[in-house]
Amino acid sequence: MALHETESEVARAMLYAVQGGKGLRAFLVIESARLFGIARTHAAPAAAAIEALHSYSLVHDDLPCMDDDDLRRGKPTVHRQWDETVAVLAGDALQALAFELVLQTVCPAEQRILLGRSLADAAGVRGMVGGQMRDIAAESRGAPLSLDEITALQAGKTGALISWSAAAGAVMAGEDQVALRRYGDCLGLAFQIADDVLDVEGDAAAVGKAVGKDAGRGKATFVSHLGLDGAKRRASDLVAEACDALSVYGEKAETLRQAARFVISRRN
Amino acid sequence: MALHETESEVARAMLYAVQGGKGLRAFLVIESARLFGIARTHAAPAAAAIEALHSYSLVHDDLPCMDDDDLRRGKPTVHRQWDETVAVLAGDALQALAFELVLQTVCPAEQRILLGRSLADAAGVRGMVGGQMRDIAAESRGAPLSLDEITALQAGKTGALISWSAAAGAVMAGEDQVALRRYGDCLGLAFQIADDVLDVEGDAAAVGKAVGKDAGRGKATFVSHLGLDGAKRRASDLVAEACDALSVYGEKAETLRQAARFVISRRN
């Protein structure tokens, strides 16, 4: 490959990595913005930003030195399709792109800054990266995690970005975030429990990534602690709590409530 | 190690990675801000941001799947001191921290957004990551790079962040960036030529990283193209051009001129 083509090779890997996702986080951004009368086109850069950030985290999490996964979103992971070098760089560039995008959200400048700062916080060592580090440390630790430890870990690893997405509309509008944060926190946890359930009950072709990995590794999950039925009940309770948190927005929030219900019924 | 300590382990690796650098980029931010009467304390978050971003790039560049280096800033690289997992995550978290910091710069909100957006651009696939990808692709290519190719590669790999640092004061002030960008571009290139010279003439203990690597790899550099004296002359010409670009700022820019001269006289 000619040298001037190598940059576009990373760009191709970036595009590959963002394609095929459910777009849940982007959807949450658009819908939470709609609650405050913010147009889809105005919120779209923030929605694209969170998908870029989420995709970067998947590319890096799949690396051999992390979770070492071969399949993601029904396709070979980036380091399998290309190599580790391209995967590290594509992830790095996707994170930079996320911040470039979020700062193009159409809202007052002060709110745009808050959006960017809260995204950096959610992505960093107190958020997503911290959760990922705990997850990997747990694998090499002898004793399985307690339920509280799993909950705290997931609040960072998957919860921080979902919670940010749910609150994004309130941040853009300069309004109170409390209700949407509670919705997002409950939804994020329900989402992770559903993921643990899918790892047991799901089919790799439908899920788009390897399943049965947790049990194979003897990893403590919501299912290993609560049982399949207990985990499903807990997820269902969390979804009810998430929907309840949106009562202040009345009928306008119905799509967000439907999304919460979808999260625990999904098959991928 | 207990699970709750693992996040602080990444935080320790982040701190380790940022310590021991020359702080050239932070210095450029502070000094370019001073040209516009911006206080050191107001520019400090942007200065810290660029050091965090630069440090993240070093941690990832040193990874086995990248340049595979053992020594950096006179210490073992992060993946040698810890492991690859911690190195990937510490780098990722340092990039998020950089954006959190840059958005805390004390200047009008619109300028703060421009500062953040231009930093994301400099860090991304059109800037630093693109340059790094070209560099790695060059190693696996049969034919050595032409001088133009090396120049283009370095404009991304090291030039983008140095140029951003030099222009930061103008961005904060909402003033024209042209002169400072020219200064930064010349300085960045001179800096890289000096690095190539140090790789030939330097001593690993003083330089703080491995030397003699380029020749060992048969890698085309400014020195292999221009010879030692030719490379030094070119760096010196670039420094003169950098200083010349600052004439519009008169005596106020003398510290920035001294910094440019230092860059080609440094021993590390």
Side-chain angles (χ1 to χ4, degrees), chain B residues 6 15 24 77 85 89-90 96 109 225 231 245 255 259-260 266:
Chain B
T6 55
L15 188 62
L24 170 68
T77 47
T85 307
L89 290 172
H225 276 287
T255 322
R266 71 199 166 93

Side-chain angles (χ1 to χ4, degrees), chain A residues 104-155:
Chain A
Q104 295 178 46
T105 307
V106 185
C107 63
E110 287 291 354
Q111 303 315 124
R112 224 179 315 160
I113 289 168
L114 280 180
L115 211 52
R117 285 184 60 177
S118 58
L119 186 63
D121 191 58
V125 75
R126 290 182 303 274
M128 187 176 71
V129 167
Q132 176 64 2
M133 187 67 216
R134 283 181 183 220
D135 198 19
I136 284 165
E139 301 246 330
S140 58
R141 193 177 78 158
L145 297 189
S146 72
L147 201 55
D148 281 351
E149 285 177 317
I150 298 175
T151 305
L153 179 164
Q154 294 302 343

Side-chain angles (χ1 to χ4, degrees), chain A residues 3 6-7 10 56 60 65-66 85 89 92 95-96 99-100 103-104 117 120 125-126 130 133-134 137 145, chain B residues 3 6-7 10 56 60 65-66 85 89 92 95-96 99-100 104 117 120 125-126 130 133-134 137 145:
Chain A
L3 197 64
T6 55
E7 274 170 70
V10 175
Y56 122 66
H60 282 191
C65 68
M66 310 282 269
T85 306
L89 290 173
D92 287 346
Q95 182 168 202
F99 289 102
E100 199 169 344
L103 294 174
Q104 295 178 46
R117 285 184 60 177
V125 75
R126 290 182 303 274
M133 187 67 216
R134 283 181 183 220
L145 297 189
Chain B
L3 198 64
T6 55
E7 275 171 70
V10 174
Y56 122 66
H60 282 190
C65 69
M66 309 283 267
T85 307
L89 290 172
D92 287 346
Q95 181 168 201
F99 289 102
E100 200 170 345
Q104 295 178 46
R117 284 184 59 179
V125 75
R126 291 182 302 274
M133 187 66 215
R134 284 181 183 220
L145 297 188

Side-chain angles (χ1 to χ4, degrees), chain B residues 5 53 57 93 111 148 152 154 158 172 184 189 262:
Chain B
E5 287 171 19
L53 195 77
S57 78
Q111 304 315 125
D148 281 351
Q154 293 304 343
T158 56
M172 288 176 217
L189 193 51
F262 162 76

Side-chain angles (χ1 to χ4, degrees), chain B residues 24-74:
Chain B
L24 170 68
R25 291 157 191 80
F27 170 88
L28 293 173
V29 169
I30 298 292
E31 285 301 314
S32 86
R34 205 170 54 78
L35 289 182
F36 302 92
I38 296 167
R40 176 181 286 262
T41 50
H42 290 190
I50 195 68
E51 291 297 327
L53 195 77
H54 174 54
S55 299
Y56 122 66
S57 78
L58 299 179
V59 172
H60 282 190
D61 286 2
D62 288 338
L63 284 168
C65 69
M66 309 283 267
D67 294 347
D68 194 13
D69 276 307
D70 297 333
L71 193 65
R72 171 68 73 179
R73 293 176 167 173

